[in-house]
Every structure is written in structure tokens, then in C-alpha cells.
Amino acid sequence: MKIHEYQAKDILAHYGVPIQPGRVAYTPDEAEAIARELGGPVVIKAQVYVGGRGKAGGIQFGDTPEQARAAASKVLGMDIKGLTVEKVLVVSKINIQEEYYLGIILDRKSQAPIVMVSKEGGIDIEEVAAKTPEKIIKQPIDMRWGLRPFEARDILARARLPHQVIGKGGSILTALARAFIESDASLAEINPLVLTSEGQVQAADAKILIDDNGLFRQKEYASWAESEESNPLEYEARQEGLTYVKLDGNVGIIGNGAGLVMTTLDMVARVGGKPANFLDIGGGAKAEVMYKALSFVARDPQVKGILVNIFGGITRGEEVAKGVIMAQAELPEGMPIVVRLSGTGAEEGKALLKDAGLDWGKDMREAAQKIVAAVG
Amino acid sequence: MSILLDSSTRVIVQGITGREGLYHTRNMKTAGTNIVGGVTPGKGGTTAEGVPVFDTVAEAKAATDAEASCIFVPPAGAADAIMEAASASISLIVCITEGIPVIDMTRAMIVVREHGARLIGPNCPGMCTPGHGKIGIIPYQIFKPGPVGFISRSGTLTYEVVALLTEAGIGQSTCIGIGGDPIIGSTFADYLELFESDPDTKAVVMCGEIGGSDEEDAAEFIKTMSKPVVAFISGRTAPPGKRMGHAGAIISGNTGTAQGKVAALQAANVPVADTIFEIPDLVKKALSAL
């Protein structure tokens, strides 16, 4: 799950990471009031779930509360990569002397979180990673201990951060690791970590992703979930407990099991169609789940036909057929549906489909060909 | 012999008294699996599906000398169940549970490695050796004994491809679903190594998918193998940055793409099927060339 910069900073501040004072504003009025409260020049930062805000003009400066207001009205409502800016973070401006990168990601190979530190932080960290990977020091966290302060200082020293940053930076990196582990994060970054002209070390920007599997015990963070305007269907699907990914095409796709659904998408593309979505109903789904899934997929206005591909094990064919028949009555008139059933209850399911006048394919390939032909 | 499991392997079920645990214990027994007991804390001293239930894995191990465990414990307690099994010297642990927090898995894997246990999964359908039995939720009736080892990251896709093989008259030695999570106990390369030294396995089918670099690592290992491998990669149409159902099925930057995996396998001289329907013919060709 994605969270905003201000939320990531709230988490880090809780673990003792120094951040600039500031708050979130939803209107230019609020931005002006916060700037007045803070006193001095401020930075106005768009809070949206995408990177590259700065380059898109989503970060502005204001030396006075009035300028802060003007900057906020420019950023609020701005479109950044398809997302409308609905809130901005207003923080005191700092005098940046140097920028470093601190990051922790989950590493499949070492089966542990891995710490990454670079002396060259800031917006071009991807370029540093691609061109000069030796400038990024990496070390897996031993999960028996977590990241110990001496290890954190050691990593910073090996990354050649200046002496004056090693102590404070070590505490910050230790705190980042604790935040990562205790928040069920899959990624936590401070980029940049800045050294100010006054010699302070602060997190000037932060990014955290929360592992969806950990949300059941991270109730506060789970409550932060919000719709991405570019993708309201995916947000709603999550609320309904469906595993749904929106794609660009016009053939709606529903199946059971992630690997089978992915293979069905590939098959539709292979026979010349364009998948509109990925939807996995999981194992053991009853008619109601199938009904909900079909109704959901049909809400995407791009969808011109739907393919249902089920390999029955603990999912039963007749339950699938019943759900499809229930949903069909409510779908737009003439919306083609092709069902492919095999395994448990397939024959019973096919009989029900036949009575309802619904089409089916004998295997995944034939079903894909039929639906692609039907949507034209 | 096949790998890891035969009809004499002593298996316990952790979470045996839950709905899933009971249902699948019955199915595993029907398949011929030698289920010797189960574990549910607080239900020790009772029986379930005709086998004794224990409060702890250590007690079950002491009473039954179990070698393998199948875990049906809900996500919040599943990593603990894995560590309990490993700590009780269970050597083969199969974890079916989907949705385990990844941080929990990073801790569980330390214990699994320390005890030298083998973990299959989590978030997997389990494994089976046709003619002997199964550990997990794989529908056993679609299999038939034969010379092909089968490994996959997915459940229903496995069933789909196995059904095609069986229909084409090609039987299987052992089938393993390694799981769809980013952190899993064992990888394709681990099982390729076992199949390579198993006299009953003549060829291997590997069904991979987008995300991570397990398939690329497998390709490196295949270069050292004497037995033929046929592969299939799903997720060719998946966009970058989107999690395709499996927590581990996500393309990050340039890593984990289907194209990259296909290229790595082809560089190891592995025929990669464009669709699953070509797999049986590719396997027949590989077997007839032996």
C-alpha cells in the first residue's frame, strides 16, 4: 500500500527522525495560515502517489505567507501524471548543503530487508544506481537483531559520508530500520537526507510502502488507504476484497488463481485481443463472489466482453455458472460472455450455462478466440 | 523413487482441526499420504480424521517421528508455525497459507536455515508424488505416475498444465508448487537439482512467472544439467509496477519481466512454450531425444 510523504514523515518522526516542522493543507487559506505559524520561508509540496513531483512543478517555494498562499493555489488541483493534487505539505525551508540517500527494501535473494546508502542522494538516485552502482553501499539486516547502531554507522562510513554526519545519520538509519520492521514496510526511503548549512541532519523527503499482508495488524496505516483518482476501480476492488488490476484493453478477464489469470491474459493477447483487467476470484469461490466479480468487471466502461476461465478444484463449476447467470441479467444488453470450465463440477456448470443460452469454450484457447471474435 | 515424498513419508498437519485442515487432511489420506497426526494448540489428546492431535509439533514429533508437516495455519500465526516445525526437527515443511506478512517470513527463514529444514511455500498448493500421495491442496486425480518432474510458482496454472500432460499420456514423477510470495523457502533451482539426481525423473517442466529472478537463476543451473527442461512463463502482458495477484508477481524496473526470463532460458537452450498447449509436444520431443 502506498502512503503519502507527510504520512511517511509522521511515522519516521515517531521513531525519532528529525524532519522539518510543517503540516498538510487542503486549501490556499490553510497553507497561508501554516506558513504564518511556521514563520520564515516555506516549501509547498504536492502530496500525490507518484514520483517526479519536482520536475512536474509540484514543489514550490514561498518566502512570505502570501507567497505560500499563491504557491499552494498553483499546486492544489494540478495534474501530475494523471493524479489531481488534493493536498500539499507546507514545511519550513532549509538550507541544503549536501544530500544523501538512505533506503531499505525487501530483498528476495538475501530473504531479508537490505539497507542501501549513497553519498549521492537527491532526485537522480536511479541514475546513480544504474551508472555507478559501486557508489551505493548495500547490507542485509540480520533479522535476529534488527539494524544495530554500530552497523548503521559502519554503513554510513563505508559510503563515505562526512564525519559530522556519521553520528546523527547513524541514529537516523537505525530509526529508519526500526520503522521499516515495525510498520510491516516493503520499502522505506529517506531521499534526500540532508546536511544543512547550520550542521543539522534531517529527512527532507520520505517514502514508505506498506506490505499489504501486514495491514491486518497495522490498523492505523490501513485506515490511510485512499483512492487513486487515476484508478478508482482498483481502490474499490480492494475494499470489496477482490484482486483486481486495471489494464488498457476491452476484454474483461476473470479466473481463479493468479498464475492462471495471468496465463489467460497472455492467451487473449496471443489470439489478437486486448485484456481490460486482471481479476482473480481466488479458491473456493461461491456463486455470489462470481456474481460480484462479473458485475465489477462490467463497470469498466472500456469492457466490451468478458471471459471467465475457471479450473475447478475447490472452486465448483456449478457455483461459477450460477454466479455468471445471476450477473448476466444485470449486465449491459448484448454484452458477450464466454465461460470456460474444467475440473470439479464442470459438467453441471456447462448444463446450467446451456439452459441460460450462454457460450463456453472447450479450453482456454477456444474460449479466448470466441471472446475476441465477439468483441470484434 | 521420486523426490521428497513417497507413501512411507510420515506427515503431520499443523492446523488440522480448522475447516481447511480437516478437509485437506481427508483428501491427503484418500490420496495415500501417510498422515500420522496433527497439531492444534489446545486440542491435544483428541483425534481428527482418525489421527491423534497434539498441542505442539515437538509432542507430535516425539510420538510419531514425523518427517514432514503441512501447514494450514492462518496468516498471523503461520510464520510461527513454520518456525515451530523447523525447531522440532521436521525436515520437510509445506506451508499452504497465503497472506503471511513478509517481515514474519524474513524471521522464519532464519530458523528454517539454522535447522537445515526444507520449506515449500508459503502461498503454494503444495506437492505430490503420483501413486504415493500428496502434501497440500493439489487435486490429486489429475495426475498419473510417469517420468516428468514438474515445478511451478502457481496453483491453478499447475493443474491446467498437468491436466494437459496427463491427457497427452505423459505422467509425472513429482510435482511441486514453490509459491507465489516474494520470500519463499525454496526455489526452482533447488528442485532442478533434486530432479537431476532422481533416477525416475527423465525431464522437467518449469512454469515460471513475472517477478524476481528465480527463473534466471534456474536458467544458470540448467546449463549444468544433463536432463532436458521445458519452460513456460506467464505474465507476458503484465504492465510494470502492478502486482498481478501473487504478492511476488511484480515487475520492478527492468527486473522480473517475462521477456528477460524467456531470454535467459533460451540462452540455456531451454525450449520455452508460447502457450501452455505447446508444452506436451515439447516434452514429448525432449523425451524422445533421450
Side-chain angles (χ1 to χ4, degrees), chain B residues 227-259:
Chain B
K227 293 177 184 174
V229 178
V230 169
F232 173 76
I233 303 291
S234 66
R236 291 176 189 229
T237 48
K242 293 280 190 181
R243 200 175 287 273
M244 303 302 275
H246 281 154
I250 181 164
I251 298 169
S252 326
N254 294 324
T255 65
T257 66
Q259 288 71 19

Side-chain angles (χ1 to χ4, degrees), chain B residues 182-205:
Chain B
I183 293 189
I184 48 176
S186 41
T187 62
F188 285 136
D190 294 331
Y191 298 107
L192 288 169
E193 200 178 340
L194 293 182
F195 283 130
E196 172 71 2
S197 52
D198 170 37
D200 288 343
T201 300
K202 305 292 179 215
V204 181
V205 173

Side-chain angles (χ1 to χ4, degrees), chain B residues 18-286:
Chain B
R19 189 170 56 94
E20 299 280 304
L22 283 172
Y23 175 75
H24 291 291
T25 299
R26 200 177 316 139
N27 285 350
M28 284 190 273
K29 287 184 81 170
T30 308
T33 315
N34 182 22
I35 305 282
V36 295
V39 175
T40 298
K43 297 260 171 83
T46 63
T47 61
E49 295 297 328
V51 297
V53 178
F54 303 89
D55 289 314
T56 67
V57 177
E59 288 171 341
K61 171 80 182 174
T64 66
D65 198 22
E67 302 151 284
S69 177
C70 186
I71 297 178
F72 288 103
V73 174
D80 188 58
I82 293 171
M83 293 190 278
E84 182 182 7
S87 303
S89 300
I90 299 292
S91 57
L92 175 64
I93 305 165
V94 180
C95 185
I96 307 302
T97 311
E98 177 176 4
I100 303 178
V102 187
I103 279 291
D104 291 1
M105 281 310 300
T106 63
R107 295 199 176 94
M109 282 314 300
I110 294 173
V111 179
V112 168
R113 286 193 298 261
E114 274 175 358
H115 289 269
R118 178 184 297 277
L119 171 66
I120 300 178
N123 188 12
C124 81
M127 64 166 305
C128 80
T129 295
H132 288 269
K134 66 166 182 172
I135 304 178
I137 62 173
I138 289 176
Y140 192 65
Q141 67 280 6
I142 61 173
F143 290 84
K144 76 173 217 159
V148 174
F150 194 100
I151 36 180
S152 167
R153 265 161 78 179
S154 138
T156 41
L157 178 62
T158 299
Y159 316 156
E160 187 84 45
V161 179
V162 166
L164 287 175
L165 289 173
T166 299
E167 214 172 281
I170 305 165
Q172 306 87 29
S173 56
T174 293
C175 167
I176 294 160
I178 64 170
D181 274 1
I183 293 189
I184 48 176
S186 41
T187 62
F188 285 136
D190 294 331
Y191 298 107
L192 288 169
E193 200 178 340
L194 293 182
F195 283 130
E196 172 71 2
S197 52
D198 170 37
D200 288 343
T201 300
K202 305 292 179 215
V204 181
V205 173
M206 177 176 108
C207 289
E209 67 189 26
I210 56 162
S213 58
D214 252 23
E215 291 79 2
E216 286 86 339
D217 296 344
E220 281 308 304
F221 182 78
I222 291 169
K223 290 177 183 167
T224 70
M225 284 176 70
S226 65
K227 293 177 184 174
V229 178
V230 169
F232 173 76
I233 303 291
S234 66
R236 291 176 189 229
T237 48
K242 293 280 190 181
R243 200 175 287 273
M244 303 302 275
H246 281 154
I250 181 164
I251 298 169
S252 326
N254 294 324
T255 65
T257 66
Q259 288 71 19
K261 291 171 190 298
V262 170
L265 288 161
Q266 284 171 341
N269 283 322
V270 175
V272 183
D274 273 337
T275 74
I276 57 170
F277 297 97
E278 290 145 41
I279 296 174
D281 280 346
L282 290 174
V283 173
K284 275 185 186 160
K285 220 156 110 191

Side-chain angles (χ1 to χ4, degrees), chain A residues 171-360:
Chain A
S171 305
I172 291 172
L173 183 53
T174 311
L176 181 67
R178 272 189 63 207
F180 180 98
I181 293 166
E182 292 176 14
S183 308
D184 275 301
S186 54
L187 175 144
E189 273 181 346
I190 297 176
N191 186 32
L193 178 74
V194 299
L195 171 64
T196 67
S197 321
E198 297 79 24
Q200 286 183 311
V201 183
Q202 287 187 335
D205 196 358
K207 181 178 178 184
I208 294 180
L209 298 178
I210 309 283
D211 170 17
D212 292 340
N213 288 353
L215 288 176
F216 73 86
R217 61 188 179 196
Q218 303 290 352
K219 299 230 158 53
E220 188 188 350
Y221 307 153
S223 75
W224 291 350
E226 51 187 75
S227 177
E228 288 180 56
E229 204 176 301
S230 61
N231 236 324
L233 280 175
E234 287 187 7
Y235 173 75
E236 275 184 54
R238 260 199 309 279
Q239 307 304 106
E240 301 235 1
L242 295 170
T243 309
Y244 172 90
V245 179
K246 171 86 175 80
L247 303 168
D248 294 332
N250 57 7
V251 180
I253 291 170
I254 300 169
N256 61 331
L260 184 61
V261 181
M262 261 190 281
T263 304
T264 312
L265 302 183
D266 294 349
M267 182 62 74
V268 165
R270 174 99 191 156
V271 299
K274 285 208 165 102
N277 68 276
F278 168 105
L279 200 165
D280 175 10
I281 58 166
K286 297 278 185 239
E288 290 70 33
V289 175
M290 195 63 228
Y291 163 78
K292 192 163 89 173
L294 267 167
S295 317
F296 196 86
V297 165
R299 283 178 49 198
D300 174 358
Q302 277 179 274
V303 166
K304 300 288 176 265
I306 301 174
L307 170 59
V308 177
N309 184 20
I310 302 293
F311 194 100
I314 42 178
T315 309
R316 304 190 61 86
E318 64 268 35
E319 288 290 324
V320 171
K322 278 184 207 159
V324 173
I325 292 163
M326 272 159 67
Q328 191 207 14
E330 294 172 25
L331 295 187
E333 186 74 28
M335 165 91 72
I337 304 174
V338 177
V339 183
R340 179 270 175 155
L341 290 174
S342 101
T344 319
E347 293 314 313
E348 294 88 331
K350 280 183 200 164
L352 291 172
L353 292 172
K354 195 176 173 193
D355 289 344
L358 275 153
D359 202 2
W360 73 80

Side-chain angles (χ1 to χ4, degrees), chain A residues 25-36 65 68-70 72-73 76:
Chain A
Y26 294 83
T27 64
D29 279 351
E30 285 173 16
E32 183 181 344
I34 296 166
R36 200 172 303 274
R69 178 198 181 84
S73 55
L76 284 164

Side-chain angles (χ1 to χ4, degrees), chain A residues 144-172:
Chain A
R144 275 171 295 205
W145 300 98
L147 186 69
R148 289 168 288 182
F150 79 87
E151 294 174 302
R153 293 191 299 272
D154 177 62
I155 298 169
L156 298 182
R158 282 191 285 139
R160 304 244 170 268
L161 265 61
H163 303 298
Q164 66 193 111
V165 177
I166 302 294
K168 287 175 186 165
S171 305
I172 291 172

